[in-house]
Protein backbone atom coordinates (compact mmCIF):
# COMPACT_ATOMS: atom_id res chain seq x y z
CA UNK A 1 0.00 0.00 0.00
CA UNK A 2 2.83 2.43 0.86
CA UNK A 3 4.62 1.64 -2.39
CA UNK A 4 1.36 2.20 -4.30
CA UNK A 5 0.88 5.53 -2.53
CA UNK A 6 4.38 6.67 -3.49
CA UNK A 7 3.75 5.61 -7.06
CA UNK A 8 0.48 7.58 -7.09
CA UNK A 9 2.20 10.70 -5.76
CA UNK A 10 4.87 10.36 -8.43
CA UNK A 11 2.33 9.83 -11.23
CA UNK A 12 0.38 12.98 -10.32
CA UNK A 13 3.49 14.95 -9.22
CA UNK A 14 1.76 15.70 -5.91
CA UNK A 15 4.86 17.16 -4.24
CA UNK A 16 5.28 19.70 -7.04
CA UNK A 17 1.64 20.73 -7.48
CA UNK A 18 1.01 24.47 -7.09
CA UNK A 19 -1.21 27.22 -8.46
CA UNK A 20 1.40 28.09 -11.07
CA UNK A 21 1.60 24.48 -12.35
CA UNK A 22 -2.14 23.90 -12.86
CA UNK A 23 -4.18 25.75 -15.52
CA UNK A 24 -5.80 28.92 -14.20
CA UNK A 25 -9.23 28.04 -15.59
CA UNK A 26 -9.43 25.06 -13.21
CA UNK A 27 -9.39 27.40 -10.21
CA UNK A 28 -11.68 29.91 -11.90
CA UNK A 29 -14.37 27.28 -12.58
CA UNK A 30 -15.16 26.93 -8.85
CA UNK A 31 -15.99 23.22 -9.17
CA UNK A 32 -13.72 22.29 -6.20
CA UNK A 33 -12.88 24.35 -3.13
CA UNK A 34 -12.65 24.33 0.66
CA UNK A 35 -15.07 26.50 2.61
CA UNK A 36 -16.90 26.41 5.94
CA UNK A 37 -17.38 23.73 8.59
CA UNK A 38 -19.92 21.06 9.46
CA UNK A 39 -21.61 20.80 12.87
CA UNK A 40 -18.72 18.74 14.24
CA UNK A 41 -16.17 21.40 13.30
CA UNK A 42 -14.71 19.60 10.27
CA UNK A 43 -13.75 21.50 7.12
CA UNK A 44 -16.11 21.20 4.13
CA UNK A 45 -14.67 20.07 0.77
CA UNK A 46 -17.17 21.17 -1.90
CA UNK A 47 -17.73 19.47 -5.27
CA UNK A 48 -20.07 21.53 -7.45
CA UNK A 49 -21.11 18.70 -9.77
CA UNK A 50 -23.03 20.92 -12.23
CA UNK A 51 -19.77 22.73 -13.06
CA UNK A 52 -18.06 19.47 -14.05
CA UNK A 53 -18.20 18.39 -17.69
CA UNK A 54 -16.72 15.14 -18.99
CA UNK A 55 -13.68 15.77 -21.17
CA UNK A 56 -10.90 13.20 -21.53
CA UNK A 57 -8.41 15.90 -22.55
CA UNK A 58 -8.94 17.74 -19.24
CA UNK A 59 -9.29 14.67 -17.02
CA UNK A 60 -5.66 14.54 -15.86
CA UNK A 61 -5.63 18.23 -14.90
CA UNK A 62 -8.89 17.84 -12.97
CA UNK A 63 -7.50 14.88 -11.05
CA UNK A 64 -4.40 16.90 -10.24
CA UNK A 65 -6.67 19.67 -8.92
CA UNK A 66 -8.23 17.21 -6.46
CA UNK A 67 -4.76 16.09 -5.36
CA UNK A 68 -3.67 19.74 -5.05
CA UNK A 69 -6.54 20.64 -2.71
CA UNK A 70 -6.04 17.56 -0.54
CA UNK A 71 -2.31 18.14 -0.24
CA UNK A 72 -2.83 21.87 0.36
CA UNK A 73 -5.23 21.06 3.20
CA UNK A 74 -2.95 18.33 4.62
CA UNK A 75 -0.02 20.73 4.88
CA UNK A 76 -2.11 23.54 6.31
CA UNK A 77 -4.25 21.70 8.87
CA UNK A 78 -1.88 18.78 9.49
CA UNK A 79 -4.25 16.02 8.48
CA UNK A 80 -7.36 17.06 10.39
CA UNK A 81 -10.39 15.18 8.92
CA UNK A 82 -12.83 16.87 6.56
CA UNK A 83 -16.36 16.38 5.22
CA UNK A 84 -17.00 16.02 1.49
CA UNK A 85 -20.10 17.70 0.04
CA UNK A 86 -21.38 16.69 -3.41
CA UNK A 87 -23.74 19.51 -4.44
CA UNK A 88 -25.75 17.79 -7.16
CA UNK A 89 -28.44 20.43 -7.57
CA UNK A 90 -29.33 21.09 -11.23
CA UNK A 91 -27.31 18.12 -12.51
CA UNK A 92 -28.13 15.50 -15.14
CA UNK A 93 -26.70 12.64 -17.18
CA UNK A 94 -24.15 14.92 -18.87
CA UNK A 95 -22.46 15.49 -15.51
CA UNK A 96 -21.99 11.77 -14.67
CA UNK A 97 -18.29 10.91 -14.78
CA UNK A 98 -17.67 7.58 -13.06
CA UNK A 99 -13.94 7.63 -13.78
CA UNK A 100 -13.55 10.97 -11.99
CA UNK A 101 -15.76 9.87 -9.08
CA UNK A 102 -13.73 6.68 -8.72
CA UNK A 103 -10.53 8.73 -8.58
CA UNK A 104 -11.99 10.88 -5.77
CA UNK A 105 -13.12 7.79 -3.85
CA UNK A 106 -9.68 6.18 -4.21
CA UNK A 107 -8.00 9.36 -2.98
CA UNK A 108 -9.82 9.08 0.34
CA UNK A 109 -9.82 5.30 0.73
CA UNK A 110 -6.21 4.65 -0.36
CA UNK A 111 -4.08 7.80 -0.23
CA UNK A 112 -5.72 9.96 2.46
CA UNK A 113 -7.50 7.26 4.51
CA UNK A 114 -7.93 9.24 7.74
CA UNK A 115 -9.24 12.42 6.10
CA UNK A 116 -12.85 11.45 5.49
CA UNK A 117 -15.58 11.80 8.15
CA UNK A 118 -18.64 11.63 5.90
CA UNK A 119 -19.87 12.31 2.36
CA UNK A 120 -22.93 14.57 2.21
CA UNK A 121 -24.74 14.16 -1.13
CA UNK A 122 -27.26 16.94 -1.74
CA UNK A 123 -30.28 16.41 -4.03
CA UNK A 124 -29.03 13.51 -6.10
CA UNK A 125 -31.31 13.12 -9.17
CA UNK A 126 -33.17 9.80 -9.33
CA UNK A 127 -31.63 9.17 -12.75
CA UNK A 128 -28.21 8.83 -11.05
CA UNK A 129 -29.28 6.05 -8.67
CA UNK A 130 -27.85 3.37 -10.98
CA UNK A 131 -24.52 5.20 -11.18
CA UNK A 132 -24.26 5.46 -7.39
CA UNK A 133 -24.93 1.74 -7.02
CA UNK A 134 -21.70 1.27 -8.95
CA UNK A 135 -19.94 3.79 -6.69
CA UNK A 136 -21.08 1.89 -3.57
CA UNK A 137 -19.37 -1.18 -4.99
CA UNK A 138 -16.04 0.67 -4.82
CA UNK A 139 -16.54 1.54 -1.16
CA UNK A 140 -16.06 -0.70 1.84
CA UNK A 141 -18.72 -1.15 4.54
CA UNK A 142 -17.22 1.61 6.69
CA UNK A 143 -17.16 4.07 3.81
CA UNK A 144 -20.76 3.23 2.79
CA UNK A 145 -21.93 4.17 6.28
CA UNK A 146 -20.39 7.61 5.71
CA UNK A 147 -22.74 8.37 2.80
CA UNK A 148 -25.47 10.85 3.80
CA UNK A 149 -28.13 11.45 1.15
CA UNK A 150 -29.83 14.77 1.90
CA UNK A 151 -32.14 17.39 0.48
CA UNK A 152 -33.13 20.91 1.48
CA UNK A 153 -35.21 19.73 4.44
CA UNK A 154 -32.59 17.62 6.24
CA UNK A 155 -29.14 18.80 5.13
CA UNK A 156 -28.90 20.98 8.25
CA UNK A 157 -28.65 17.83 10.36
CA UNK A 158 -24.99 17.78 9.28
CA UNK A 159 -24.18 21.37 8.26
CA UNK A 160 -25.56 24.48 9.95
CA UNK A 161 -27.30 27.12 7.83
CA UNK A 162 -24.50 29.67 8.22
CA UNK A 163 -22.27 27.53 5.95
CA UNK A 164 -24.95 26.53 3.44
CA UNK A 165 -25.72 28.58 0.30
CA UNK A 166 -29.30 29.87 -0.18
CA UNK A 167 -30.24 27.16 -2.71
CA UNK A 168 -29.55 24.58 0.04
CA UNK A 169 -31.70 26.44 2.57
CA UNK A 170 -28.81 28.29 4.25
CA UNK A 171 -27.77 31.90 4.77
CA UNK A 172 -24.13 31.80 3.63
CA UNK A 173 -23.49 34.72 1.26
CA UNK A 174 -20.06 33.37 0.24
CA UNK A 175 -19.43 33.45 -3.51
CA UNK A 176 -16.41 31.66 -4.90
CA UNK A 177 -13.97 33.75 -6.91
CA UNK A 178 -10.38 33.39 -8.10
CA UNK A 179 -7.77 34.83 -7.76
CA UNK A 180 -6.67 34.74 -5.01
CA UNK A 181 -6.94 31.19 -3.69
CA UNK A 182 -9.80 30.93 -1.22
CA UNK A 183 -8.58 31.71 2.31
CA UNK A 184 -11.15 29.44 3.88
CA UNK A 185 -10.55 30.63 7.45
CA UNK A 186 -10.53 34.40 6.88
CA UNK A 187 -12.76 35.46 4.01
CA UNK A 188 -14.41 38.58 5.38
CA UNK A 189 -13.05 41.78 6.95
CA UNK A 190 -12.64 41.12 10.66
CA UNK A 191 -12.50 43.21 13.81
CA UNK A 192 -9.00 43.25 15.26
CA UNK A 193 -9.94 43.22 18.95
CA UNK A 194 -13.22 41.58 19.74
CA UNK A 195 -16.49 43.51 20.21
CA UNK A 196 -16.60 47.13 19.08
CA UNK A 197 -17.85 48.30 22.47
CA UNK A 198 -14.83 49.07 24.66
CA UNK A 199 -14.08 50.38 28.13
CA UNK A 200 -13.01 53.73 26.66
CA UNK A 201 -16.50 54.26 25.23
CA UNK A 202 -18.05 53.60 28.64
CA UNK A 203 -15.69 56.13 30.20
CA UNK A 204 -16.50 58.78 27.63
CA UNK A 205 -20.23 58.20 28.16
CA UNK A 206 -19.79 58.62 31.92
CA UNK A 207 -17.89 61.91 31.39
CA UNK A 208 -20.68 63.26 29.22
CA UNK A 209 -23.25 62.27 31.83
CA UNK A 210 -21.35 64.07 34.63
CA UNK A 211 -21.18 67.27 32.56
CA UNK A 212 -24.96 67.29 32.20
CA UNK A 213 -25.66 66.61 35.90
CA UNK A 214 -26.95 69.39 38.16
CA UNK A 215 -24.69 70.57 41.05
CA UNK A 216 -27.09 69.17 43.66
CA UNK A 217 -26.54 65.67 42.41
CA UNK A 218 -22.73 65.81 42.57
CA UNK A 219 -22.44 64.47 46.13
CA UNK A 220 -24.43 61.38 45.25
CA UNK A 221 -22.36 60.98 42.10
CA UNK A 222 -19.12 61.24 44.06
CA UNK A 223 -20.26 58.47 46.40
CA UNK A 224 -21.22 56.32 43.44
CA UNK A 225 -17.92 57.05 41.71
CA UNK A 226 -16.03 56.09 44.87
CA UNK A 227 -17.86 52.78 44.91
CA UNK A 228 -17.10 52.32 41.22
CA UNK A 229 -13.42 53.04 41.83
CA UNK A 230 -13.31 50.43 44.57
CA UNK A 231 -15.06 47.89 42.38
CA UNK A 232 -12.74 48.67 39.44
CA UNK A 233 -9.71 48.17 41.68
CA UNK A 234 -11.11 44.86 42.87
CA UNK A 235 -11.81 43.79 39.29
CA UNK A 236 -8.31 44.78 38.12
CA UNK A 237 -6.78 42.85 41.02
CA UNK A 238 -8.92 39.84 40.22
CA UNK A 239 -7.87 40.05 36.56
CA UNK A 240 -4.22 40.08 37.61
CA UNK A 241 -4.87 37.10 39.85
CA UNK A 242 -6.66 35.37 36.99
CA UNK A 243 -3.68 35.99 34.76
CA UNK A 244 -1.18 34.63 37.27
CA UNK A 245 -3.40 31.67 38.11
CA UNK A 246 -4.18 31.19 34.45
CA UNK A 247 -0.63 30.53 33.30
CA UNK A 248 -0.07 27.25 35.12
CA UNK A 249 -3.46 25.93 33.96
CA UNK A 250 -2.51 26.34 30.35
CA UNK A 251 1.10 25.34 30.85
CA UNK A 252 0.13 21.68 30.63
CA UNK A 253 -1.89 22.33 27.46
CA UNK A 254 0.74 24.35 25.60
CA UNK A 255 2.85 21.23 25.02
CA UNK A 256 4.00 22.27 21.53
CA UNK A 257 5.55 25.41 20.09
CA UNK A 258 5.38 26.65 16.52
CA UNK A 259 8.88 27.83 15.57
CA UNK A 260 8.52 30.50 12.92
CA UNK A 261 11.25 32.66 11.38
CA UNK A 262 10.18 35.71 13.42
CA UNK A 263 8.19 34.41 16.37
CA UNK A 264 7.89 31.23 18.37
CA UNK A 265 4.21 30.75 19.18
CA UNK A 266 2.87 28.60 21.99
CA UNK A 267 0.56 26.70 21.77
CA UNK A 268 1.35 25.57 18.25
CA UNK A 269 -2.09 24.49 17.00
CA UNK A 270 -5.04 24.79 19.39
CA UNK A 271 -6.41 27.11 22.05
CA UNK A 272 -8.21 25.21 24.79
CA UNK A 273 -11.50 26.63 26.06
CA UNK A 274 -14.04 25.04 28.35
CA UNK A 275 -17.69 24.43 27.54
CA UNK A 276 -20.49 26.24 29.37
CA UNK A 277 -20.35 23.52 32.01
CA UNK A 278 -16.59 23.70 32.66
CA UNK A 279 -16.54 27.50 32.42
CA UNK A 280 -12.96 28.03 31.15
CA UNK A 281 -13.22 31.48 29.50
CA UNK A 282 -9.61 32.52 28.96
CA UNK A 283 -6.62 31.22 27.06
CA UNK A 284 -3.00 32.31 26.83
CA UNK A 285 -0.80 32.74 23.73
CA UNK A 286 2.93 33.27 24.31
CA UNK A 287 4.95 35.02 21.59
CA UNK A 288 8.77 34.95 21.65
CA UNK A 289 10.78 37.23 19.36
CA UNK A 290 13.70 35.22 17.94
CA UNK A 291 15.09 38.03 15.74
CA UNK A 292 17.43 40.94 16.43
CA UNK A 293 14.79 43.51 15.49
CA UNK A 294 11.44 44.61 16.87
CA UNK A 295 8.61 42.44 15.50
CA UNK A 296 5.14 43.92 15.03
CA UNK A 297 2.19 41.55 15.35
CA UNK A 298 -1.58 41.58 15.23
CA UNK A 299 -4.20 38.94 15.96
CA UNK A 300 -7.37 38.39 13.93
CA UNK A 301 -10.28 36.05 14.55
CA UNK A 302 -13.17 34.58 12.58
CA UNK A 303 -15.55 35.40 15.45
CA UNK A 304 -14.78 38.99 16.53
CA UNK A 305 -18.11 39.33 18.32
CA UNK A 306 -17.15 36.54 20.75
CA UNK A 307 -13.53 37.17 21.71
CA UNK A 308 -11.39 39.92 23.20
CA UNK A 309 -7.67 39.77 22.50
CA UNK A 310 -5.25 41.78 24.65
CA UNK A 311 -3.03 43.00 23.11
CA UNK A 312 -4.26 42.43 19.58
CA UNK A 313 -1.99 44.91 17.77
CA UNK A 314 1.42 45.60 19.30
CA UNK A 315 5.14 44.81 19.02
CA UNK A 316 7.64 42.51 20.70
CA UNK A 317 11.20 43.51 21.55
CA UNK A 318 14.17 41.37 20.39
CA UNK A 319 14.72 38.27 22.50
CA UNK A 320 11.69 38.85 24.74
CA UNK A 321 8.41 37.02 25.28
CA UNK A 322 4.95 38.56 25.40
CA UNK A 323 1.67 37.14 26.71
CA UNK A 324 -1.59 37.53 24.78
CA UNK A 325 -4.80 36.82 26.67
CA UNK A 326 -7.76 35.62 24.62
CA UNK A 327 -11.01 35.81 26.57
CA UNK A 328 -14.61 35.03 25.69
CA UNK A 329 -16.92 38.01 25.78
CA UNK A 330 -20.22 38.01 27.67
CA UNK A 331 -22.23 34.79 27.54
CA UNK A 332 -20.56 33.40 24.43
CA UNK A 333 -18.94 29.97 24.35
CA UNK A 334 -16.06 28.74 22.18
CA UNK A 335 -16.75 26.75 19.02
CA UNK A 336 -14.67 24.30 16.99
CA UNK A 337 -15.23 26.50 13.95
CA UNK A 338 -13.50 29.52 15.51
CA UNK A 339 -10.04 30.36 14.20
CA UNK A 340 -7.28 32.85 15.06
CA UNK A 341 -4.66 34.31 12.73
CA UNK A 342 -1.38 35.74 14.06
CA UNK A 343 0.43 38.04 11.62
CA UNK A 344 3.99 39.23 12.27
CA UNK A 345 6.60 41.32 10.44
CA UNK A 346 9.99 42.82 11.29
CA UNK A 347 10.17 46.57 11.88
CA UNK A 348 13.07 48.94 11.21
CA UNK A 349 14.94 50.31 14.18
CA UNK A 350 13.80 53.83 13.29
CA UNK A 351 10.10 52.89 13.30
CA UNK A 352 8.06 53.74 16.38
CA UNK A 353 5.89 51.25 18.23
CA UNK A 354 2.90 53.50 18.93
CA UNK A 355 -0.59 52.93 17.58
CA UNK A 356 -0.27 55.40 14.64
CA UNK A 357 3.16 53.99 13.68
CA UNK A 358 1.88 50.41 13.77
CA UNK A 359 -1.17 51.32 11.68
CA UNK A 360 1.04 52.96 9.07
CA UNK A 361 3.49 50.04 9.20
CA UNK A 362 0.80 47.45 8.38
CA UNK A 363 -0.37 49.56 5.44
CA UNK A 364 3.12 49.68 3.93
CA UNK A 365 4.66 46.27 4.76
CA UNK A 366 4.80 43.92 1.73
CA UNK A 367 2.72 40.76 1.95
CA UNK A 368 5.79 38.62 1.27
CA UNK A 369 7.45 39.81 4.49
CA UNK A 370 4.50 38.92 6.73
CA UNK A 371 4.63 35.69 8.72
CA UNK A 372 1.22 34.09 9.30
CA UNK A 373 0.22 31.33 11.69
CA UNK A 374 -3.25 29.95 12.38
CA UNK A 375 -4.69 28.55 15.59
CA UNK A 376 -7.98 26.72 16.02
CA UNK A 377 -10.17 26.33 19.09
CA UNK A 378 -10.60 23.17 21.09
CA UNK A 379 -13.49 22.84 23.51
CA UNK A 380 -12.89 20.72 26.61
CA UNK A 381 -16.10 19.05 27.69
CA UNK A 382 -14.72 17.64 30.95
CA UNK A 383 -11.54 17.28 32.97
CA UNK A 384 -10.81 13.79 31.57
CA UNK A 385 -8.43 14.92 28.81
CA UNK A 386 -6.17 16.69 31.32
CA UNK A 387 -5.99 13.62 33.58
CA UNK A 388 -5.17 11.48 30.58
CA UNK A 389 -2.42 13.90 29.60
CA UNK A 390 -0.93 13.71 33.09
CA UNK A 391 -0.94 9.91 33.01
CA UNK A 392 0.76 9.88 29.63
CA UNK A 393 3.43 12.28 30.89
CA UNK A 394 3.90 10.22 34.06
CA UNK A 395 4.55 7.13 31.98
CA UNK A 396 6.77 9.09 29.58
CA UNK A 397 4.70 7.94 26.61
CA UNK A 398 4.98 10.51 23.79
CA UNK A 399 1.63 11.22 22.18
CA UNK A 400 1.82 11.26 18.41
CA UNK A 401 -0.07 14.16 16.87
CA UNK A 402 -1.33 14.53 13.33
CA UNK A 403 1.39 17.13 12.80
CA UNK A 404 4.10 14.64 13.82
CA UNK A 405 2.67 11.96 11.54
CA UNK A 406 2.42 14.42 8.66
CA UNK A 407 6.04 15.50 9.17
CA UNK A 408 7.15 11.87 9.23
CA UNK A 409 5.19 11.14 6.05
CA UNK A 410 6.72 14.19 4.36
CA UNK A 411 10.17 13.05 5.46
CA UNK A 412 9.52 9.56 4.07
CA UNK A 413 8.31 11.05 0.79
CA UNK A 414 11.50 13.10 0.51
CA UNK A 415 13.61 10.02 1.19
CA UNK A 416 11.58 8.09 -1.38
CA UNK A 417 12.11 10.87 -3.90
CA UNK A 418 15.88 10.82 -3.34
CA UNK A 419 15.94 7.02 -3.61
CA UNK A 420 13.94 7.21 -6.83
CA UNK A 421 16.45 9.71 -8.24
CA UNK A 422 19.33 7.43 -7.25
CA UNK A 423 17.60 4.45 -8.86
CA UNK A 424 17.04 6.47 -12.03
CA UNK A 425 20.73 7.40 -12.11
CA UNK A 426 21.75 3.80 -11.51
CA UNK A 427 19.50 2.64 -14.33
CA UNK A 428 20.98 5.28 -16.61
CA UNK A 429 24.54 4.18 -15.75
CA UNK A 430 23.50 0.56 -16.22
CA UNK A 431 22.11 1.28 -19.67
CA UNK A 432 25.23 3.26 -20.54
CA UNK A 433 27.43 0.39 -19.35
CA UNK A 434 25.46 -2.09 -21.48
CA UNK A 435 25.83 0.14 -24.54
CA UNK A 436 29.58 0.60 -23.96
CA UNK A 437 30.04 -3.12 -23.31
CA UNK A 438 28.17 -3.95 -26.50
CA UNK A 439 30.26 -1.43 -28.39
CA UNK A 440 33.47 -2.90 -26.95
CA UNK A 441 32.47 -6.46 -27.89
CA UNK A 442 31.62 -5.29 -31.39
CA UNK A 443 35.02 -3.56 -31.80
CA UNK A 444 36.91 -6.62 -30.47
CA UNK A 445 34.96 -8.93 -32.76
CA UNK A 446 35.67 -6.64 -35.71
CA UNK A 447 39.39 -6.61 -34.85
CA UNK A 448 39.48 -10.42 -34.72
CA UNK A 449 37.70 -10.52 -38.03
CA UNK A 450 40.27 -8.21 -39.63
CA UNK A 451 43.17 -10.19 -38.18
CA UNK A 452 41.69 -13.46 -39.41
CA UNK A 453 41.03 -12.09 -42.88
CA UNK A 454 44.64 -10.79 -43.21
CA UNK A 455 46.12 -14.20 -42.29
CA UNK A 456 43.99 -15.99 -44.80
Amino acid sequence: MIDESFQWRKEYTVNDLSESVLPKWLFESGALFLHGYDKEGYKLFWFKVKLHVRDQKQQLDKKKLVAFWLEHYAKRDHGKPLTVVFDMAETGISHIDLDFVRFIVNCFTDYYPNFLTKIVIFEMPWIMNAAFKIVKGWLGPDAISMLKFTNKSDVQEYISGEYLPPHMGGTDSFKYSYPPLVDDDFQTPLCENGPITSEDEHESKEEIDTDTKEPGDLNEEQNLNQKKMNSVEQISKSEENDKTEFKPKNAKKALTTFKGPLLHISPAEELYFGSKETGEKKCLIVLTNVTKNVVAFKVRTTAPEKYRVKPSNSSCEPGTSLDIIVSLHGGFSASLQDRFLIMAAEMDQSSGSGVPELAQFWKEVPRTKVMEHRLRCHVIESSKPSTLTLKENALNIPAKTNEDLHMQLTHLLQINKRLQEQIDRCLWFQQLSVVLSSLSVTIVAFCFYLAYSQRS
Side-chain angles (χ1 to χ4, degrees):
M1 180 63 73
I2 294 177
D3 184 61
E4 184 182 345
S5 178
F6 286 150
Q7 189 64 36
W8 177 82
R9 295 181 72 88
K10 181 182 178 182
E11 180 182 354
Y12 291 97
T13 62
V14 176
N15 291 343
D16 301 324
L17 289 178
S18 64
E19 292 180 67
S20 58
V21 172
L22 295 171
K24 187 178 179 181
W25 65 266
L26 279 175
F27 294 98
E28 292 175 336
S29 68
L32 300 173
F33 58 89
L34 290 161
H35 170 65
Y37 303 87
D38 67 6
K39 286 192 171 182
E40 297 177 86
Y42 297 119
K43 177 66 68 181
L44 298 178
F45 192 15
W46 290 86
F47 289 78
K48 296 285 186 179
V49 180
K50 72 175 182 179
L51 300 178
H52 176 80
V53 179
R54 281 179 296 177
D55 189 339
Q56 289 300 321
K57 295 179 181 179
Q58 302 173 355
Q59 196 77 321
L60 179 60
D61 287 333
K62 290 180 178 180
K63 290 179 178 179
K64 286 185 176 182
L65 180 64
V66 176
F68 165 81
W69 274 116
L70 291 175
E71 191 68 10
H72 172 76
Y73 177 76
K75 291 177 179 178
R76 176 166 169 169
D77 279 59
H78 309 296
K80 188 176 180 182
L82 50 76
T83 294
V84 177
V85 182
F86 282 94
D87 182 3
M88 304 187 74
E90 303 177 16
T91 58
I93 297 178
S94 61
H95 301 103
I96 297 177
D97 190 345
L98 292 181
D99 177 54
F100 188 62
V101 173
R102 183 165 194 168
F103 174 80
I104 296 170
V105 170
N106 288 340
C107 283
F108 285 104
T109 57
D110 298 339
Y111 311 122
Y112 298 89
N114 297 321
F115 267 36
L116 190 61
T117 59
K118 53 185 166 291
I119 302 175
V120 178
I121 302 171
F122 179 76
E123 289 190 352
M124 187 182 74
W126 64 269
I127 202 168
M128 292 188 178
N129 284 333
F132 258 85
K133 286 182 180 179
I134 299 174
V135 173
K136 285 183 179 180
W138 301 334
L139 301 171
D142 295 335
I144 291 176
S145 64
M146 295 179 183
L147 293 174
K148 311 295 179 184
F149 294 91
T150 64
N151 51 43
K152 199 170 183 179
S153 62
D154 57 6
V155 67
Q156 294 196 30
E157 292 181 15
Y158 309 101
I159 307 169
S160 60
E162 62 178 318
Y163 291 118
L164 290 173
H167 76 273
M168 296 176 73
T171 58
D172 190 1
S173 59
F174 168 76
K175 291 184 179 179
Y176 179 88
S177 63
Y178 181 87
L181 196 68
V182 173
D183 188 355
D184 39 282
D185 283 341
F186 302 91
Q187 293 166 1
T188 55
L190 300 174
C191 177
E192 298 285 347
N193 191 24
I196 297 173
T197 304
S198 64
E199 292 86 348
D200 296 335
E201 292 180 358
H202 289 302
E203 291 174 3
S204 61
K205 289 178 182 178
E206 288 177 1
E207 290 176 0
I208 294 171
D209 291 339
T210 54
D211 291 337
T212 57
K213 292 287 183 182
E214 294 181 1
D217 298 332
L218 287 177
N219 292 332
E220 294 180 3
E221 283 296 319
Q222 288 175 358
N223 293 331
L224 290 172
N225 288 336
Q226 186 63 32
K227 292 180 180 178
K228 286 182 180 178
M229 289 290 290
N230 294 334
S231 63
V232 168
E233 289 177 1
Q234 292 175 355
I235 291 171
S236 62
K237 288 180 181 178
S238 64
E239 285 182 352
E240 290 178 0
N241 293 333
D242 288 343
K243 185 176 178 180
T244 55
E245 292 175 1
F246 174 70
K247 288 184 181 180
K249 286 182 182 179
N250 284 273
K252 67 177 182 292
K253 296 173 185 176
L255 298 175
T256 56
T257 300
F258 168 77
K259 296 182 179 180
L262 305 180
L263 296 174
H264 287 184
I265 302 171
S266 182
E269 294 184 8
E270 294 181 329
L271 298 179
Y272 288 81
F273 290 93
S275 62
K276 289 184 178 180
E277 291 76 17
T278 57
E280 185 71 35
K281 295 292 185 180
K282 292 184 179 180
C283 198
L284 184 70
I285 303 174
V286 181
L287 305 181
T288 303
N289 185 348
V290 294
T291 70
K292 296 181 180 179
N293 297 319
V294 177
V295 172
F297 70 87
K298 60 180 178 178
V299 184
R300 299 172 66 194
T301 174
T302 55
E305 73 284 354
K306 294 167 61 173
Y307 297 95
R308 288 194 66 79
V309 182
K310 295 182 181 180
S312 67
N313 188 1
S314 185
S315 60
C316 188
E317 296 295 324
T320 61
S321 295
L322 185 141
D323 294 345
I324 298 175
I325 296 180
V326 181
S327 56
L328 282 162
H329 181 73
F332 288 105
S333 58
S335 171
L336 295 173
Q337 291 92 341
D338 298 341
R339 297 289 191 274
F340 289 87
L341 172 68
I342 299 174
M343 305 172 66
E346 272 188 293
M347 300 180 71
D348 296 332
Q349 296 291 343
S350 58
S351 302
S353 57
V355 176
E357 290 82 2
L358 286 171
Q360 187 64 28
F361 171 77
W362 285 112
K363 288 180 182 178
E364 297 174 352
V365 64
R367 181 79 174 179
T368 54
K369 293 185 178 181
V370 177
M371 183 195 93
E372 294 185 353
H373 183 65
R374 290 167 172 80
L375 297 170
R376 51 181 179 263
C377 289
H378 183 87
V379 181
I380 302 174
E381 297 297 338
S382 65
S383 59
K384 289 183 179 180
S386 61
T387 57
L388 289 173
T389 305
L390 290 173
K391 288 182 180 179
E392 288 177 354
N393 292 337
L395 295 172
N396 293 323
I397 300 174
K400 293 274 186 179
T401 63
N402 287 333
E403 181 180 4
D404 296 331
L405 294 173
H406 177 72
M407 290 177 64
Q408 290 180 5
L409 178 60
T410 305
H411 182 62
L412 287 172
L413 291 173
Q414 291 173 351
I415 294 174
N416 180 73
K417 187 176 181 180
R418 289 196 294 268
L419 289 173
Q420 188 65 45
E421 291 174 354
Q422 292 177 3
I423 291 171
D424 292 340
R425 284 197 296 269
C426 291
L427 290 173
W428 185 82
F429 280 117
Q430 185 181 20
Q431 292 172 356
L432 181 62
S433 301
V434 170
V435 172
L436 292 175
S437 300
S438 301
L439 185 61
S440 300
V441 170
T442 303
I443 293 173
V444 170
F446 184 69
C447 291
F448 275 114
Y449 173 76
L450 290 176
Y452 178 77
S453 60
Q454 287 177 357
R455 289 179 183 176
S456 59

